[in-house]
Amino acid sequence: MLRKLLISLLACLMCLGASAQIVNRLRVDQKTFLRYAYCRMQQFNPENLAVADSIYSAGVAKDDYRYKSLALSLEMPVRFALRQYERMDSTAVELKSLLHERKEARDFYFSFMHEYCEYLVHIGRASDAMLEARAMGRLAGTEKRPSGKMYSYRIIGLIHSSRDNHHLAIRNLEEAAHFCKAARAEQDLPNLYLLLSQEHVKMRDFAKAEEYVAQSEEYEKYFPSIGIKSRMTRAYIAYAAGDWNSFSEIYSSLIADPLYRMQADADSRYSLDIDYLRSRGLLVQALSVADSLGTFRGRLEKKHGIYADLGDFDNAYGQLALLMHDKDSTYIKVQNEDLAILDAEMHNAQLREEAQKLKAHNQLMIMIGFLVMFAIAFFAILLSQWKLRENLDKMRHKNNQMLASRRAFQKAMEAKESENEFKIKILQNRKTNMLRL
């Protein structure tokens, strides 16, 4: 009874800090958000499915995508923990359809897709995760959202880690940390530091690994759940460095902490259990626990080391051979999938280039059409002006001719009138002369 009370008290205390670490990005009501935050603090707990169903039903009743999305994001980690990968995929597909076109929920969408991709990497579907991460990066670049770039680089870093490309993993995780600061997503920064620490452990750079763990621990007072992950990483460092006393002390503190089982997935706990049993020389028990690991490669890696500790070199060699075969197969598969991804991206780039060319061609044709129409209109105006000028010239010439004719007629009339006047004078003179006679 006391243990249950302690667990509930600790979980409630964690939820009080959840509003800082688990942000209410969808802006649901406070009561629903606290229920969600409580479950997220123990994200792999199967009991979360009942809460997820309840929130989803509320979303259906309200016809509100936010509640449905919240429920689906709560359901997915449990599906992963239960190894119900088809249900996990369908959950992701439904949430993507709800959120992909909703810019107001973009940060929640990026966070969800990052978590889904992380699970894909863990179960060996790195190429699927790579496609999703690159799509997320392109969307984030288009919308200028550093949070999306952060999650994209983080997933690509995890993919390189799964392929033992630790230098590339570190480079991408450092880029993720850069975009994390740009996005002011402080709640994600300590997790990135822990991932960087783990990569440096794999490269046997324990000083750098310790440095990153120390940086992550600075955030514990703001984000209490970082404590479990930091201790797990310190245990990982101590075991890799052969510091058995420190490893045993950290391991004992973890298994005594009720939040450890709530916040760590089964494979991570099994892996630490195996390391503890090996450090104590309990190799048969360690071999039994190794069979509980969820991934084939994880089982081979652990069993190879245990058989070597037992001096059973035939089985150790057999596990190593299977491991190398699995790595070779994975390498070939990765190469083929990467080539397929590259080919698809090149094809898409070619389509985009052709679309740009077609757009440019259409714009050029429109411009040419406009210029032709302008030229025709301009020529028509010039022609009409020329016709008008020609008609005006004809009319002017005709008027000049008429004016000249009129002037000639007037001169003729004036000449005739002068002639008549002269004749009249002659007649008058004659008449005068006759009277004198």
Side-chain angles (χ1 to χ4, degrees):
M1 185 68 173
L2 181 61
R3 179 178 174 80
K4 289 183 178 179
L5 183 61
L6 177 62
I7 291 173
S8 299
L9 177 61
L10 286 170
C12 287
L13 289 173
M14 296 295 283
C15 282
L16 292 175
S19 59
Q21 185 176 5
I22 304 173
V23 183
N24 189 2
R25 294 188 174 105
L26 294 180
R27 298 183 180 181
V28 298
D29 66 272
Q30 192 66 14
K31 181 179 178 181
T32 301
F33 172 67
L34 286 176
R35 290 175 68 201
Y36 171 77
Y38 174 84
C39 292
R40 287 296 295 183
M41 301 313 295
Q42 42 182 334
Q43 59 182 347
F44 301 112
N45 188 344
E47 294 178 3
N48 288 355
L49 291 178
V51 179
D53 287 342
S54 173
I55 296 175
Y56 191 90
S57 297
V60 173
K62 296 172 182 287
D63 192 22
D64 193 327
Y65 77 93
R66 299 175 303 155
Y67 290 84
K68 294 179 184 178
S69 301
L70 209 66
L72 293 169
S73 73
L74 193 60
E75 176 185 344
M76 190 178 61
V78 181
R79 299 300 180 190
F80 164 73
L82 296 176
R83 299 175 187 173
Q84 298 173 355
Y85 302 134
E86 290 185 6
R87 290 293 299 274
M88 182 183 77
D89 288 338
S90 63
T91 299
V93 168
E94 183 177 358
L95 193 139
K96 282 172 67 177
S97 67
L98 285 172
L99 295 185
H100 191 267
E101 299 300 326
R102 298 183 182 274
K103 291 186 178 182
E104 71 276 12
R106 188 64 77 221
D107 286 339
F108 186 87
Y109 172 76
F110 285 143
S111 176
F112 173 85
M113 288 307 299
H114 157 260
E115 187 175 22
Y116 175 57
C117 289
E118 194 170 1
Y119 296 150
L120 291 177
V121 174
H122 188 80
I123 62 177
R125 291 167 56 187
S127 294
D128 291 339
M130 181 68 84
L131 287 171
E132 296 286 1
R134 288 178 175 173
M136 183 166 28
R138 285 193 295 272
L139 179 60
T142 301
E143 297 184 357
K144 293 180 173 53
R145 293 179 183 266
S147 60
K149 300 290 285 186
M150 170 191 69
Y151 288 128
S152 176
Y153 275 111
R154 177 170 169 169
I155 291 302
I156 294 172
L158 292 176
I159 291 169
H160 283 302
S161 177
S162 72
R163 297 174 177 178
D164 297 327
N165 299 326
H166 302 302
H167 286 290
L168 288 174
I170 288 171
R171 188 186 306 169
N172 280 277
L173 290 171
E174 286 174 343
E175 282 293 315
H178 166 73
F179 281 106
C180 182
K181 293 173 184 175
R184 297 182 179 178
E186 290 82 2
Q187 70 276 6
D188 291 295
L189 198 54
N191 290 313
L192 285 166
Y193 287 151
L194 292 175
L195 291 173
L196 282 163
S197 174
Q198 293 163 19
E199 291 306 308
H200 282 288
V201 171
K202 294 171 185 176
M203 297 179 68
R204 311 293 295 176
D205 187 352
F206 299 121
K208 196 70 175 176
E210 288 281 356
E211 181 183 328
Y212 275 118
V213 171
Q215 288 185 62
S216 75
E217 288 173 340
E218 293 176 4
Y219 290 80
E220 284 186 32
K221 59 183 177 181
Y222 306 109
F223 312 126
S225 65
I226 294 298
I228 295 294
K229 296 177 182 179
S230 296
R231 275 188 283 167
M232 290 176 69
T233 303
R234 284 201 174 277
Y236 181 44
I237 295 171
Y239 184 83
D243 186 353
W244 309 124
N245 290 332
S246 294
F247 173 76
S248 179
E249 182 180 343
I250 297 168
Y251 176 79
S252 298
S253 74
L254 280 170
I255 61 174
D257 192 327
L259 294 175
Y260 173 57
R261 183 167 293 275
M262 297 178 184
Q263 295 179 10
D265 64 278
D267 273 11
S268 297
R269 298 197 308 271
Y270 287 145
S271 182
L272 276 179
D273 291 343
I274 293 166
D275 291 342
Y276 177 74
L277 292 170
R278 286 180 67 183
S279 71
R280 292 293 180 178
L282 303 173
L283 302 177
V284 176
Q285 293 92 320
L287 197 62
S288 176
V289 176
D291 287 325
S292 300
L293 288 168
T295 62
F296 179 64
R297 183 173 176 178
R299 291 194 295 272
L300 293 176
E301 287 176 340
K302 291 296 185 183
K303 292 173 79 171
H304 157 66
I306 296 168
Y307 279 126
D309 291 345
L310 285 167
D312 186 350
F313 298 111
D314 287 339
N315 272 323
Y317 175 78
Q319 296 295 311
L320 181 61
L322 287 172
L323 179 61
M324 296 309 296
H325 176 73
D326 180 69
K327 285 187 174 182
D328 288 341
S329 299
T330 301
Y331 178 77
I332 294 170
K333 181 182 178 184
V334 163
Q335 293 296 332
N336 291 336
E337 289 176 342
D338 283 352
L339 286 173
I341 291 172
L342 182 61
D343 181 65
E345 290 184 343
M346 289 178 66
H347 180 65
N348 289 337
Q350 184 179 2
L351 289 177
R352 287 194 295 271
E353 184 179 354
E354 289 178 356
Q356 289 293 332
K357 287 181 179 179
L358 181 60
K359 182 179 179 181
H361 179 265
N362 289 338
Q363 289 176 342
L364 179 62
M365 294 303 295
I366 291 171
M367 186 176 295
I368 291 173
F370 176 77
L371 290 174
V372 169
M373 290 177 64
F374 178 78
I376 292 172
F378 184 71
F379 179 74
I381 293 170
L382 287 178
L383 183 62
S384 64
Q385 290 290 330
W386 180 77
K387 287 284 189 183
L388 179 61
R389 188 177 292 110
E390 186 179 24
N391 290 335
L392 287 172
D393 289 342
K394 286 180 178 180
M395 289 176 66
R396 192 178 291 114
H397 179 68
K398 188 175 181 179
N399 288 337
N400 289 337
Q401 286 180 335
M402 289 176 66
L403 183 60
S405 298
R406 185 177 298 170
R407 284 175 180 173
F409 176 76
Q410 187 175 359
K411 286 180 179 180
M413 291 297 293
E414 289 175 353
K416 190 69 175 174
E417 186 176 350
S418 297
E419 183 182 353
N420 289 337
E421 287 178 356
F422 181 74
K423 287 179 178 181
I424 290 170
K425 285 180 180 181
I426 291 173
L427 288 174
Q428 286 177 349
N429 289 334
R430 285 178 180 177
K431 185 176 179 181
T432 301
N433 291 331
M434 286 179 67
L435 289 174
R436 285 176 181 176
L437 292 175

